[in-house]
Structure formats: C-alpha cells, structure tokens
Amino acid sequence: MTKPVPCPPAPGPLEDYAARFDDLFTRVAQRRGFREYLAGLLAPRDRNKTLTALAGAEPVAGAQHPAVQRLQFFLSESRWDADQVNSRRLELLLADPATAPHGGGVLVIDDSGDRKDGTRTAHVGHQWLGRYGKTDNGVVTVTTVWADERLYYPVDAVPYTPAKHFAKGKSDPGFRTKLAIAADLAVQARKAGFVFRAVVADSAYGDQDGFRGELSEAGLPFVMALKPRHGTWAYGPDAHTPVDAARALAWDGPEDPGDWVPVTRTFRDGHAETWWAADATLGWWGPDGLTRLVVATADPGTLPGKATWYLATSLPRPGGPREADSPHPPADLAEITRIYGIRHWVEQSYKQVKDELGWADFQVRSDVAIRRHQALVNCAFSFCWAAWFADNSPQRDAAPQPEPGARERGAAPRSTTAGAVVAAGTARGPRLAFPVDRAAALVAGMVQGAPAAAAAGPDRLRRGRLRPVPLHPHLTNYR
C-alpha cells in the first residue's frame, strides 16, 4: 500500500486541530487546502476575506496567482463533503468536556442575511435581511447555535433558497421555508447528541404558531419572543395582545409588586439590574396552559419597548398542574428570563466573530461552494475554542452550569437571583473580544484567541460573583 504523501503542516496549534479531519480528505491537495483556508480565515482582518485575501495575494490583480487558484479549486471543484466535515467538527465539540453541551444551555435559532449582488448566485434573492433591517438582494442562512453563560458555537447552517429558484415557486416539492429549515435543524441537533434546556428564538420565529407546534410535536421545549402587538383571538373585554396582557397585571410599585416577581440580571460590564417577571394570560395561554406567556421587564409600570420581553414557553410552572405530566422540567420566572437572556449571544459576539472570520466574504456562486465556505468558517470558529481551552483548561469549572430551576444567569441554587455573566471579557484591540483578537500567537503569528472570553477565573471572583471587564465599544451596537 502506498504511503500517503505528507501534507505541509499548518502553523502552530492549528495543525493538531486540522489533522483530526485528514481522513475526510482523500488527497494531499485537499488536506493542504483545508489548512490554508482555515489559516486565512483566522488571520487578522485588514480587508474582506476573499480568496485573494486568504491566500495573501493582491486583490483582483492576484486572482490568477497559483495559491489563489488552489483555494478556488479546493472550494468549488475538489471532491469532499462539507456535511462530513461539519459532523466531525461537532463530534470534537461533543467529545471535549470543555465544550460538551449540557442541560443548562440553550439551542438558539437565528438567520443571518448578507448582501450579495447579481442574480446567478445560489440562494440569492430580494428578501428581508435582518441584520440590515431592510429588504435587499442577498443570501439568508438559517443557523442553530448552542450557548450557555460562558461559551457559544454554531451547530448547523443551511442557506434558505427563495421560491424564485424553483420551477413551481412555493408549490415546488423542493421549496422549504425558513421555519421548516429551522425546525429540522433543531431536531437534527438533538439527534446529534446536543442537549439543551430549550430552543430559543426571537419574534420572527416565536410569532409563528405552526413553528412552535412543530417543536412541541418533536418533544422540544421552547422559549421564544413575541411581538408586543402580536394579536390573538379573545373575548371582547379580554387581552388581545401580549402588551395588553402585561398591562392587565397588578402593579403598585416595587413595595407592592402585585403579580410581578423580582429577578436579577447581571450584564456583561458586571453591573446588575432588578427586572420584574410575571405569568400573564392571553387567550388560551396562561400560567398553567400548554403555552405560558411570560413577561419580563425593567419597569412593569411603563413596559419600555427596549427593556421588555414577551415570551411564549412550553416549560411548565413549578407547582402547577402540568408539572407532573410534562416531559420537561418546570421553570420558574427567573429561569425563563435566564434562558432567553442567553439568546443575545447571536446579537453581539457571535455575529461579530463570524464577520471577523469572513462569513459573508465569499465570492463563489454555487450551492456547494457556499456551503463549504460556511462549514470552513464554522471549523475556524470551533478551533478558536479548542485553542482557548487548551491554554485555559480550568475554565470549564469557572462558571456554574445551570440545571433546571437554576436562577438568573446560572447562579448557584442557594442564590435567589443573579449568577454568571454572558460574554464576560474585553477586546484588546479594535476588533472583538477574544475570538481572534490575540491573533499573533496561536497560529504562528496569525491567530491568538478564542470565540469569546470565558467566565472569569478564580482570581477575578469577588464575593462569589463574576466581575468581567467591559467590552470595547466596537464590540457592541451601543457605541
């Protein structure tokens, strides 16, 4: 038997990670392409990570450079399976105790819309791009992310194909809505071995009765946002929208909260705030219904739009009549608030890490090439965590792993309110916090970080509470 031709090693610790995928590539050129592509994605950003940037060639003029052409062939023409690569990546995450999912985490469903010009690129269409807040020409990818208070990483990603790409439009058997894709990905994550407290999503998914029904039929619990004015049938004098239901709750101030219960939220900069949460009644939804309506807000008196959540959940109320028969452990109001709070990973660091790694920078047209690019970006993302935990092995016990019924942000069971902080850490430059911000050591001068700062270590603990350093302003939407 011919001995395999050795592949030029990747720089630094990237080689150990890349070697775990070698059996999925039949040729040395593929193994080399895998290493070169990941190294290019992980390099500090100074321009869009197109193929010329990944190969270190001059933009446009360097498109014909042999290194660029090798990456082009690897991405578009070479024979390898992106699904197999992603499955291997997930196997590595599941096998590592530092990144293995647990019952206190959540599975976040989201979609990422990125602008793309032209009409011949697969999946492109004139559609709503949530990150830009408008309808434009682009590609939308439905994603699932596993997250808890200390880490987060992508699980699966499937591009949504607009109806115009099908001969029969929305009636075509091959057409799938984003909701159908999301439901399939949630079921797929569970089959792959990912455990989680609930499936979490924003109102784009939470407002869809059919989508919540699919998750329930699949045996998956959920905590999802609703629009304040999401209407439902009710008798004339009863509440017809979530905000109406919230206003019907008794509130006479902090000294006489009525129907509201205080919950403490701890934010990334270390400060804590007292929020208020309550079970509300809306149509058939109620504290002991199959679906609960939970309202969490900073001020029950005014229900401020940017600091009020209206949440639909299938998790039963502790002590309620559904607790005994429900397949899911009960969740009190603080737990519901904690679960949904984790979702904000996708609104801050997660999207920024993907952007830093070149998620939307591909300049290929085929479905195969786009899916391969996304799989490789997710591999680079997960490598950052592997490298981080290799240098910070005690991190796995630095933050408590919340169990069913734990308090806000995963506090220890004896605490009545607050706990660990999501996305604690600081940016050491103008880019982002820890994902690839120390980009000069981990990959021989190219990568030096992990996807997010882990929870504070023992030397940063004070009175049992995590004390994170504030994020750099460039990392947030609140400059």
Side-chain angles (χ1 to χ4, degrees), residues 209-288:
D209 296 340
F211 178 66
R212 297 193 311 273
E214 286 190 59
L215 295 181
S216 295
E217 290 180 6
L220 297 176
F222 59 80
V223 176
M224 297 189 177
L226 301 168
K227 289 186 177 69
R229 299 293 179 181
H230 176 73
T232 188
W233 182 89
Y235 291 105
D238 295 337
H240 288 261
T241 65
V243 69
D244 293 338
R247 288 171 178 165
L249 297 169
W251 169 259
D252 291 317
E255 302 301 324
D256 185 12
D259 295 323
W260 298 85
V261 175
V263 294
T264 300
R265 299 189 59 219
T266 303
F267 292 81
R268 298 183 182 186
D269 61 2
H271 83 279
E273 293 182 5
T274 297
W275 276 38
W276 300 85
D279 274 297
T281 300
L282 178 64
W284 298 108
W285 296 358
D288 297 318

Side-chain angles (χ1 to χ4, degrees), residues 61-112:
Q64 301 305 314
H65 190 282
V68 179
Q69 291 298 302
R70 284 200 307 269
L71 289 182
Q72 174 69 55
F73 185 85
F74 170 72
L75 191 64
S76 301
E77 306 295 336
S78 183
R79 294 184 178 180
W80 56 277
D81 192 329
D83 289 337
Q84 290 183 357
V85 169
N86 191 61
S87 294
R88 177 64 52 83
R89 179 182 66 86
L90 298 182
E91 290 173 7
L92 296 175
L93 291 168
L94 288 164
D96 187 345
T99 56
H102 57 82
V106 303
L107 187 74
V108 182
I109 291 177
D110 192 40
D111 53 64
S112 175

Side-chain angles (χ1 to χ4, degrees), residues 1 13 59 92 106 142 160 253 274 285 294 305 332 404 442:
M1 183 176 180
L92 296 175
V106 303
V142 181
Y160 162 72
T274 297
W285 296 358
V294 173
D332 61 15
L442 285 181

Side-chain angles (χ1 to χ4, degrees), residues 102-126:
H102 57 82
V106 303
L107 187 74
V108 182
I109 291 177
D110 192 40
D111 53 64
S112 175
D114 303 294
R115 290 194 185 101
K116 288 296 173 183
D117 294 328
T119 58
R120 297 187 179 182
T121 300
H123 313 297
V124 76
H126 198 66

